[in-house]
Amino acid sequence: MSEPAPQTAPEWLIAPGLTDYAAAVAAMEGHVAAMNEGRAGERIWLVEHPPLYTAGTSARSADLLEARFPVHETGRGGQYTYHGPGQRVVYTMLDLNRRGRDVRAFVHGLESWVIDTLAEFGVTGEIREGRVGVWVARPDKPPLPDGSMREDKIAAIGIKLRRWVSFHGISINVEPDLSHYGGIVPCGITGHGVTSLVDLGLPVSMEDLDTALRVTFARRFG
């Protein structure tokens, strides 16, 4: 039996401007197929989309409050989320055949990658049982009706696997129009809000975030 080819670092691509969502999904589908056929390697693809909503496999119709923007059905896990300018979407096409066939560990790795990236800017990101994504405590805001501290979501995670190759991925809010979230119940969670790095008072650019993502990736994924 031949030895598997040595693991090489993923290819990193940054798409200029705004990327059409359907075109992005088609490109991911094609690349994942090529990976599964041994014709392509791993890829991290950084994009921004025009304003839109996506519905994951667990999306509930009641959580689409107002279709202000195009709504795309998608095969990733999760519920409704928003993508738009000022938000970095990170499409992770990684081979879990090589990285360990453990979905839970992979999602935890993505969460930890986001948390490490936010820490580069002095932001403490946290995960919560039963709430997908990465959250930031907001002691500066009024507490929830039960007296608990309000928390805002700063990053979303939703993946899909095909023969243990991942696609879709994560999104991190740099400076999107947060009012655009008003058309959905983000990820089906009520009571908490959404935030961004700029909303938190940090003058972070997309280029700053991209640099931090690349620096911290190796800590979690090698």
Side-chain angles (χ1 to χ4, degrees):
M1 181 181 295
S2 61
E3 292 295 320
Q7 177 69 33
T8 58
E11 173 190 31
W12 285 71
L13 296 177
I14 301 177
L18 300 179
T19 300
D20 176 77
Y21 184 78
V25 172
M28 279 193 289
E29 292 271 3
H31 190 80
V32 168
M35 287 178 65
N36 277 320
E37 294 167 5
R39 297 184 290 105
E42 294 183 319
R43 174 177 288 175
I44 306 293
W45 189 24
L46 310 180
V47 309
E48 284 181 83
H49 289 304
L52 59 94
Y53 298 130
T54 63
T57 54
S58 301
R60 299 172 298 201
S61 59
D63 288 341
L64 180 61
L65 306 178
E66 180 186 354
R68 302 179 185 177
F69 308 111
V71 179
H72 296 266
E73 302 288 335
T74 179
R76 62 155 176 82
Q79 302 185 36
Y80 280 103
T81 193
Y82 166 78
H83 295 314
Q87 180 194 76
R88 176 55 87 205
V89 178
V90 185
Y91 288 131
T92 54
M93 288 159 270
L94 299 176
D95 187 357
L96 271 64
N97 291 292
R98 295 179 176 274
R99 296 179 177 274
R101 294 183 175 186
D102 188 329
V103 177
R104 186 181 297 273
F106 179 58
V107 172
H108 177 69
L110 294 175
E111 292 170 335
S112 299
W113 180 25
V114 172
I115 289 169
D116 289 350
T117 300
L118 295 174
E120 294 288 299
F121 306 105
V123 174
T124 301
E126 300 176 300
I127 56 176
R128 291 287 181 264
E129 186 69 30
R131 282 196 260 139
V132 180
V134 178
W135 299 79
V136 176
R138 299 303 303 268
D140 55 314
K141 289 188 172 183
L144 293 171
D146 64 2
S148 60
M149 185 180 298
R150 191 174 297 274
E151 297 174 339
D152 286 346
K153 191 171 190 174
I154 195 168
I157 296 173
I159 63 166
K160 184 176 181 178
L161 297 177
R162 180 164 298 146
R163 291 168 52 189
W164 292 102
V165 173
S166 72
F167 55 122
H168 296 281
I170 65 178
S171 61
I172 302 175
N173 290 341
V174 178
E175 192 180 9
D177 185 337
L178 297 178
S179 71
H180 288 180
Y181 281 88
I184 58 173
V185 178
C187 300
I189 296 166
T190 58
H192 297 281
V194 289
T195 190
S196 68
L197 288 165
V198 171
D199 181 56
L200 292 172
L202 301 169
V204 177
S205 69
M206 197 65 74
E207 292 74 19
D208 295 332
L209 180 70
D210 292 347
T211 298
L213 282 165
R214 192 152 191 172
V215 166
T216 56
F217 178 82
R219 299 178 194 169
R220 300 295 173 177
F221 296 101

Coordinates of all heavy atoms in Angstrom, one line a residue, residues 20-60:
D20 N -20.7 37.0 -5.7 CA -22.1 36.4 -5.8 C -22.1 35.1 -5.0 O -21.3 34.2 -5.1 CB -22.4 36.2 -7.3 CG -23.8 35.6 -7.4 OD1 -24.8 36.3 -7.3 OD2 -23.8 34.3 -7.7
Y21 N -23.2 35.0 -4.2 CA -23.3 33.8 -3.4 C -23.4 32.5 -4.1 O -22.7 31.5 -3.9 CB -24.5 33.9 -2.4 CG -24.5 32.8 -1.4 CD1 -23.7 32.8 -0.3 CD2 -25.4 31.7 -1.6 CE1 -23.7 31.7 0.6 CE2 -25.4 30.7 -0.7 CZ -24.6 30.7 0.4 OH -24.6 29.6 1.3
A22 N -24.3 32.5 -5.1 CA -24.5 31.2 -5.9 C -23.2 30.8 -6.6 O -22.9 29.6 -6.7 CB -25.6 31.4 -6.9
A23 N -22.5 31.8 -7.1 CA -21.2 31.5 -7.8 C -20.2 31.0 -6.8 O -19.4 30.1 -7.1 CB -20.7 32.8 -8.5
A24 N -20.2 31.5 -5.6 CA -19.3 31.0 -4.6 C -19.6 29.6 -4.2 O -18.7 28.8 -4.1 CB -19.4 31.9 -3.3
V25 N -20.9 29.2 -4.0 CA -21.2 27.9 -3.7 C -20.8 26.9 -4.8 O -20.3 25.8 -4.6 CB -22.7 27.7 -3.4 CG1 -23.1 26.3 -3.3 CG2 -23.1 28.5 -2.1
A26 N -21.0 27.3 -6.1 CA -20.7 26.5 -7.2 C -19.1 26.3 -7.3 O -18.7 25.2 -7.5 CB -21.1 27.2 -8.5
A27 N -18.4 27.4 -7.0 CA -16.9 27.2 -6.9 C -16.5 26.3 -5.8 O -15.6 25.5 -6.0 CB -16.3 28.6 -6.8
M28 N -17.1 26.4 -4.7 CA -16.8 25.5 -3.6 C -17.1 24.0 -4.0 O -16.3 23.1 -3.7 CB -17.5 25.8 -2.3 CG -16.9 27.0 -1.5 SD -17.6 27.1 0.1 CE -19.3 27.7 -0.2
E29 N -18.3 23.8 -4.5 CA -18.7 22.5 -4.9 C -17.6 21.9 -5.9 O -17.2 20.7 -5.7 CB -20.1 22.5 -5.6 CG -21.2 22.9 -4.7 CD -21.8 21.7 -4.0 OE1 -21.3 20.5 -4.2 OE2 -22.8 21.8 -3.3
G30 N -17.2 22.7 -6.8 CA -16.2 22.2 -7.8 C -14.9 21.9 -7.2 O -14.3 20.9 -7.5
H31 N -14.5 22.7 -6.2 CA -13.2 22.5 -5.6 C -13.2 21.3 -4.7 O -12.3 20.5 -4.7 CB -12.7 23.7 -4.8 CG -11.3 23.6 -4.4 ND1 -10.2 23.9 -5.2 CD2 -10.8 23.3 -3.2 CE1 -9.1 23.7 -4.6 NE2 -9.4 23.3 -3.3
V32 N -14.3 21.1 -4.0 CA -14.4 20.0 -3.1 C -14.5 18.7 -3.9 O -13.9 17.7 -3.5 CB -15.7 20.1 -2.2 CG1 -16.0 18.8 -1.5 CG2 -15.5 21.2 -1.2
A33 N -15.2 18.7 -5.0 CA -15.2 17.5 -5.9 C -13.8 17.2 -6.4 O -13.3 16.0 -6.4 CB -16.1 17.8 -7.1
A34 N -13.0 18.2 -6.7 CA -11.6 18.0 -7.2 C -10.8 17.5 -6.1 O -9.9 16.6 -6.3 CB -11.1 19.3 -7.7
M35 N -11.0 17.9 -4.8 CA -10.2 17.4 -3.7 C -10.6 15.9 -3.5 O -9.7 15.1 -3.2 CB -10.6 18.2 -2.4 CG -10.0 19.6 -2.4 SD -10.5 20.5 -0.9 CE -9.7 19.5 0.4
N36 N -11.8 15.6 -3.6 CA -12.2 14.2 -3.4 C -11.7 13.3 -4.5 O -11.5 12.1 -4.2 CB -13.7 14.1 -3.3 CG -14.3 14.4 -1.9 OD1 -13.7 14.0 -0.9 ND2 -15.4 15.1 -1.8
E37 N -11.4 13.8 -5.6 CA -10.8 13.1 -6.7 C -9.3 13.1 -6.7 O -8.7 12.6 -7.6 CB -11.4 13.6 -8.0 CG -12.9 13.3 -8.2 CD -13.5 14.1 -9.4 OE1 -12.7 14.7 -10.1 OE2 -14.7 14.1 -9.5
G38 N -8.7 13.8 -5.7 CA -7.3 13.9 -5.7 C -6.6 14.9 -6.6 O -5.4 14.8 -6.9
R39 N -7.5 15.8 -7.2 CA -7.0 16.7 -8.2 C -6.7 18.1 -7.6 O -6.2 19.0 -8.4 CB -8.0 16.8 -9.3 CG -8.2 15.6 -10.1 CD -9.1 15.8 -11.3 NE -10.5 16.1 -10.9 CZ -11.1 17.2 -11.0 NH1 -10.4 18.3 -11.4 NH2 -12.4 17.4 -10.6
A40 N -7.0 18.3 -6.4 CA -6.8 19.6 -5.8 C -6.5 19.5 -4.3 O -6.8 18.5 -3.7 CB -8.0 20.5 -6.0
G41 N -5.8 20.5 -3.7 CA -5.5 20.5 -2.3 C -6.4 21.4 -1.5 O -7.4 21.9 -2.1
E42 N -6.1 21.5 -0.3 CA -7.0 22.3 0.6 C -6.9 23.8 0.3 O -6.0 24.3 -0.3 CB -6.5 22.1 2.1 CG -6.7 20.7 2.6 CD -6.3 20.6 4.1 OE1 -5.3 21.2 4.4 OE2 -7.0 19.9 4.8
R43 N -8.0 24.5 0.6 CA -8.1 25.9 0.3 C -8.9 26.6 1.3 O -9.9 26.2 1.9 CB -8.8 26.0 -1.1 CG -9.1 27.5 -1.5 CD -9.8 27.6 -2.8 NE -8.8 27.3 -3.9 CZ -9.2 27.2 -5.2 NH1 -10.4 27.3 -5.6 NH2 -8.2 26.9 -6.1
I44 N -8.4 27.8 1.7 CA -9.1 28.8 2.5 C -9.4 30.0 1.6 O -8.5 30.6 1.0 CB -8.2 29.3 3.7 CG1 -7.7 28.1 4.5 CG2 -9.0 30.2 4.6 CD1 -8.7 27.3 5.3
W45 N -10.7 30.3 1.5 CA -11.1 31.3 0.5 C -11.8 32.4 1.3 O -12.9 32.2 2.0 CB -12.0 30.7 -0.5 CG -12.4 31.5 -1.6 CD1 -11.8 32.6 -2.1 CD2 -13.6 31.4 -2.5 NE1 -12.4 33.1 -3.2 CE2 -13.5 32.4 -3.4 CE3 -14.7 30.5 -2.5 CZ2 -14.5 32.5 -4.4 CZ3 -15.6 30.6 -3.5 CH2 -15.6 31.6 -4.4
L46 N -11.3 33.6 1.2 CA -11.9 34.8 2.0 C -12.7 35.6 1.0 O -12.1 36.1 0.0 CB -10.7 35.6 2.6 CG -9.7 34.8 3.4 CD1 -8.6 35.7 4.0 CD2 -10.4 34.0 4.6
V47 N -13.9 35.9 1.4 CA -14.8 36.6 0.5 C -15.7 37.6 1.3 O -15.8 37.5 2.5 CB -15.7 35.7 -0.4 CG1 -14.9 34.6 -1.1 CG2 -16.8 35.1 0.5
E48 N -16.3 38.5 0.6 CA -17.4 39.4 1.0 C -18.5 39.1 0.1 O -18.3 39.0 -1.1 CB -17.0 40.8 1.1 CG -16.1 41.3 2.2 CD -15.9 42.8 2.2 OE1 -16.7 43.5 2.7 OE2 -14.8 43.1 1.6
H49 N -19.7 39.1 0.6 CA -20.9 39.0 -0.3 C -21.7 40.2 -0.3 O -21.7 41.0 0.7 CB -21.8 37.8 0.3 CG -21.2 36.4 0.1 ND1 -20.9 36.0 -1.2 CD2 -21.0 35.5 0.9 CE1 -20.4 34.7 -1.1 NE2 -20.5 34.4 0.2
P50 N -22.6 40.5 -1.3 CA -23.6 41.5 -1.2 C -24.6 41.1 -0.2 O -24.6 39.9 0.3 CB -24.2 41.5 -2.6 CG -23.9 40.1 -3.2 CD -22.6 39.7 -2.6
P51 N -25.5 42.0 0.3 CA -26.4 41.6 1.4 C -27.3 40.5 1.0 O -28.0 40.5 -0.1 CB -27.2 42.9 1.6 CG -26.3 44.0 1.1 CD -25.6 43.4 -0.1
L52 N -27.4 39.5 1.9 CA -28.3 38.3 1.6 C -28.5 37.5 2.9 O -27.7 37.7 3.9 CB -27.6 37.4 0.5 CG -26.2 36.8 0.9 CD1 -26.3 35.4 1.5 CD2 -25.4 36.8 -0.4
Y53 N -29.5 36.7 2.9 CA -29.7 35.8 4.0 C -29.5 34.3 3.5 O -29.8 34.0 2.3 CB -31.1 35.9 4.5 CG -31.5 37.2 5.1 CD1 -32.6 37.9 4.7 CD2 -30.7 37.9 6.0 CE1 -33.0 39.1 5.2 CE2 -31.0 39.1 6.5 CZ -32.1 39.7 6.1 OH -32.5 41.0 6.6
T54 N -29.0 33.5 4.3 CA -28.9 32.1 4.0 C -29.6 31.2 5.0 O -29.7 31.6 6.2 CB -27.4 31.6 4.0 OG1 -26.8 31.7 5.3 CG2 -26.6 32.4 3.0
A55 N -30.2 30.2 4.5 CA -31.0 29.3 5.4 C -30.3 27.9 5.5 O -30.1 27.3 4.5 CB -32.4 29.1 4.9
G56 N -29.9 27.6 6.7 CA -29.2 26.3 6.9 C -30.2 25.2 7.0 O -31.4 25.4 6.8
T57 N -29.7 24.0 7.2 CA -30.6 22.8 7.2 C -31.6 22.8 8.4 O -32.5 22.0 8.3 CB -29.7 21.5 7.2 OG1 -28.8 21.6 8.4 CG2 -28.9 21.4 6.0
S58 N -31.3 23.6 9.4 CA -32.2 23.6 10.6 C -33.1 24.9 10.6 O -33.7 25.2 11.6 CB -31.4 23.5 11.9 OG -30.7 22.3 11.9
A59 N -33.1 25.7 9.5 CA -33.8 26.9 9.5 C -35.3 26.7 9.6 O -35.9 25.8 9.0 CB -33.5 27.7 8.2
R60 N -35.9 27.6 10.4 CA -37.4 27.6 10.6 C -38.0 28.8 9.9 O -37.5 29.9 10.0 CB -37.7 27.7 12.1 CG -37.1 26.5 12.9 CD -37.3 26.7 14.4 NE -36.5 27.8 14.9 CZ -36.2 28.0 16.2 NH1 -36.5 27.1 17.1 NH2 -35.5 29.1 16.5

